[in-house]
Amino acid sequence: MSNAAVLQYALVGIHGCLFLAVSLRVIARALAPSTGLAWILLVALFPVGGFILYVLVGERPLGRLRLRRIVEGRTPFQTRLAALPANAYGTLAGLTTEQNQIARLSSATSGLPLLRCDRVEVIAGANAVLAAIIADLEAARYACDMVFYIWQDGGLANGIAEALERAARRGVRCRILLDAVGSRPFLNGDRIRHLRAAGVRIEAALPVGPIRALFVRADLRLHRKLVIIDGRIGYTGSMNLVDPHVFKREAGVGEWIDAMVRIEGPPVAALEMVFLEDWLAETGELPTLPTRPLAEWGHVPLTTAGSALVVPSGPDLVSDIIRRLMLAAVYGAERELVITTPYFVPDEAVMTALETAAMRGVDVTLIVPERVDSHLVRYASRSFFDGLLDAGVRIRQFRGGLLHTKSLTVDGETTLFGTFNLDIRSLRLNFEITFVAFDPGVTAAVRSLQAEYEATSAPIELGAWRKRTPARRFLENLLRLASPLL
């Protein structure tokens, strides 16, 4: 037998072994059929590359040390929440049947309770958001804690850094967690040295590296956006610490359009617990709990009449928390469902829920940006439009930039607002945070913002959509096959 023949048989054998190894592992893990078949197909077509990719990102390991820290910290953090005064909690009695189900599901999966919603302000646009955070930082007296996926130095975002330096120099304890990948340029830049010199504590979350990648999945990212000031004021939403006038201008998608909610009242205590767990997981330090008396929550003036939930999600918690909540909200809608999301690559369950809602008479509107910063996501996303349009879903493409706000409103009564995208990665893998408000006033404010987005959007009509070229349709459907992996 020639050397060429021996080599050929060896390659076939290696291919078979890699294919069998991944196939057996996928079956043993009982993955969703679409995801499992996508991995098997990838390894069948690209045996070595597919196998390496599966080893790097196909599993969901967080690392034993991180998981142990999370478990160890959960008891004192839960004790802290249990010490809230009785009037800080929301009541199920005032909720609709659908809201009641969402609240029960959330508390059962996340462990965080339904809380009274005192004061919530929806802030749209980078200028307004950054100005509000800076104003609260200037008034901070005790502590400021932040979590962000991306912090990019430059432009208006510099005002946050300068306000943090001033706060730290006057004795405010400042702690910041930044995702190691999303904020890599900032973590390696000059600005961070000035902040640390002023006394600001900054840590990189979920660091990556060649050796670490062998034991911990590298693409699980801390996608949360949180600001907690003096344990009294909280922010969350879609916006990173960036100035959209300078952020990713080379992508050719226009300015990123974001919004945040500013919260006062008991839900801030839940946001605080999420930060403390993240800080413990990354540093191993059980943080000093805030000194502000929890009883003070009873003295915050009421400006809303509802209740709220803080829902953290990620691979360290019950699987697919936010996906389950979103599905419950969609199936519970009776009149209207409006969604804004920058990245729309749903799985079968989400697609079925949206189509079913529209087919049973719910007015379903999906608002997505006309252009996004990922060509793969752009084309894969559009492959889903045919089925949605055919079912009666109204699709609007936002033309004022990359619409990055993530929101879902139901029947003018319920709002899901936070960091999650309607794609498989966000709903199942990344560490996200969602603010769920059962409050007509909050929902009216978010619904008004959604209406502004829709007014700057172009409708997609089914007839015109189906006239796109066969080549484009083929490309969209081809990339849709990779959607479980995007």
Side-chain angles (χ1 to χ4, degrees):
M1 184 180 295
S2 66
N3 291 337
V6 172
L7 179 60
Q8 184 176 6
Y9 280 119
L11 291 175
V12 171
I14 293 172
H15 185 179
C17 290
L18 295 178
F19 177 79
L20 182 62
V22 171
S23 299
L24 292 176
R25 180 60 180 168
V26 164
I27 293 170
R29 291 177 59 212
L31 292 178
S34 59
T35 303
L37 289 174
W39 278 117
I40 291 172
L41 179 62
L42 183 66
V43 176
L45 295 176
F46 309 99
V48 177
F51 178 80
I52 293 173
L53 189 63
Y54 180 82
V55 170
L56 292 176
V57 302
E59 301 281 332
R60 297 178 66 177
L62 281 171
R64 294 180 182 178
L65 178 60
R66 182 185 181 91
L67 287 173
R68 187 176 75 245
R69 288 171 174 174
I70 292 171
V71 172
E72 290 173 352
R74 198 147 285 170
T75 298
F77 297 155
Q78 292 292 338
T79 301
R80 167 76 174 175
L81 277 178
L84 285 168
N87 66 349
Y89 292 94
T91 173
L92 297 174
L95 303 182
T96 66
T97 301
E98 292 74 19
Q99 291 174 331
N100 200 299
Q101 292 172 348
I102 293 172
R104 291 179 183 275
L105 175 61
S106 174
S107 295
T109 51
S110 72
L112 295 176
L114 180 69
L115 296 168
R116 195 189 71 225
C117 191
D118 288 347
R119 178 180 293 150
V120 179
E121 180 184 1
V122 179
I123 308 175
N127 291 10
V129 170
L130 294 173
I133 295 174
I134 290 170
D136 286 328
L137 284 173
E138 299 292 7
R141 298 170 58 194
Y142 312 112
C144 172
D145 296 322
M146 293 185 178
V147 179
F148 280 95
Y149 176 58
I150 300 174
W151 188 346
Q152 176 180 286
D153 198 20
L156 299 173
N158 288 351
I160 297 290
E162 293 161 1
L164 279 168
E165 287 186 37
R166 289 190 291 270
R169 293 189 191 283
R170 67 174 184 270
V172 176
R173 186 202 61 213
C174 299
R175 300 178 294 197
I176 303 173
L177 273 177
L178 299 176
D179 183 82
V181 174
S183 296
R184 180 177 294 163
F186 184 88
L187 291 166
N188 294 325
D190 294 329
R191 176 71 65 176
I192 192 171
R193 287 189 281 274
H194 294 292
L195 286 163
R196 284 173 170 163
V200 179
R201 180 83 180 273
I202 302 176
E203 299 291 339
L206 298 168
V208 297
I211 297 178
R212 185 180 177 86
L214 298 176
F215 305 98
V216 180
R217 182 166 173 171
D219 68 328
L220 301 181
R221 306 317 317 157
L222 185 62
H223 199 238
R224 293 169 181 160
K225 290 89 177 171
L226 285 176
V227 178
I228 304 108
I229 297 174
D230 289 344
R232 183 178 59 86
I233 297 168
Y235 289 82
T236 193
S238 66
M239 186 172 159
N240 290 292
L241 280 185
V242 300
D243 183 344
H245 299 97
V246 298
F247 180 64
K248 285 193 174 183
R249 300 299 292 177
E250 72 283 356
V253 295
E255 292 187 6
W256 291 48
I257 308 299
D258 284 289
M260 300 282 273
V261 287
R262 181 184 184 276
I263 306 163
E264 294 183 53
V268 179
L271 293 176
E272 203 167 46
M273 294 304 102
V274 175
F275 169 83
L276 293 176
E277 281 200 357
D278 286 341
W279 186 264
L280 172 62
E282 295 301 335
T283 67
E285 301 173 8
L286 187 63
T288 303
L289 294 174
T291 57
R292 182 173 184 266
L294 290 173
E296 290 184 22
W297 290 125
H299 303 292
V300 177
L302 284 169
T303 56
T304 70
S307 53
L309 293 156
V310 170
V311 186
S313 55
D316 60 328
L317 299 167
V318 174
S319 178
D320 308 343
I321 292 177
I322 191 58
R323 176 173 170 270
R324 295 169 191 262
L325 282 182
M326 196 212 68
L327 289 172
V330 173
Y331 278 118
E334 296 181 348
R335 301 182 302 278
E336 180 190 69
L337 180 70
V338 183
I339 300 170
T340 67
T341 181
Y343 308 112
F344 181 76
V345 188
D347 61 10
E348 291 93 336
V350 173
M351 274 292 289
T352 300
L354 293 173
E355 291 173 354
T356 300
M359 293 172 72
R360 60 186 170 84
V362 177
D363 185 3
V364 181
T365 301
L366 173 67
I367 307 173
V368 295
E370 185 175 44
R371 294 175 294 171
V372 296
D373 57 331
S374 168
H375 292 290
L376 288 177
V377 171
R378 181 185 305 179
Y379 287 107
S381 175
R382 291 172 178 174
S383 70
F384 295 94
F385 288 178
D386 289 83
L388 293 171
L389 292 168
D390 192 50
V393 175
R394 299 190 312 141
I395 301 177
R396 302 290 185 263
Q397 287 190 315
F398 182 78
R399 291 183 167 177
L402 198 159
L403 178 60
H404 197 240
T405 302
K406 304 106 188 302
S407 66
L408 185 153
T409 59
V410 184
D411 295 338
E413 299 171 338
T414 303
T415 294
L416 278 68
F417 191 93
T419 67
F420 73 95
N421 301 307
L422 277 188
D423 61 20
I424 296 172
R425 171 165 304 283
S426 189
L427 296 178
R428 292 183 176 177
L429 298 177
N430 285 340
F431 292 88
E432 308 281 1
I433 187 79
T434 303
F435 180 69
V436 182
F438 303 125
D439 184 289
V442 174
T443 301
V446 176
R447 187 67 191 88
S448 176
L449 182 61
Q450 291 173 330
E452 291 182 20
Y453 295 151
E454 187 173 358
T456 316
S457 302
I460 297 179
E461 304 297 340
L462 180 59
W465 183 250
R466 286 182 171 170
K467 291 179 181 179
R468 63 198 192 282
T469 65
R472 180 177 168 184
R473 186 188 297 269
F474 178 82
L475 177 61
E476 292 168 354
N477 291 339
L478 176 64
L479 292 177
R480 178 172 179 164
L481 295 176
S483 62
L485 311 181
L486 292 178

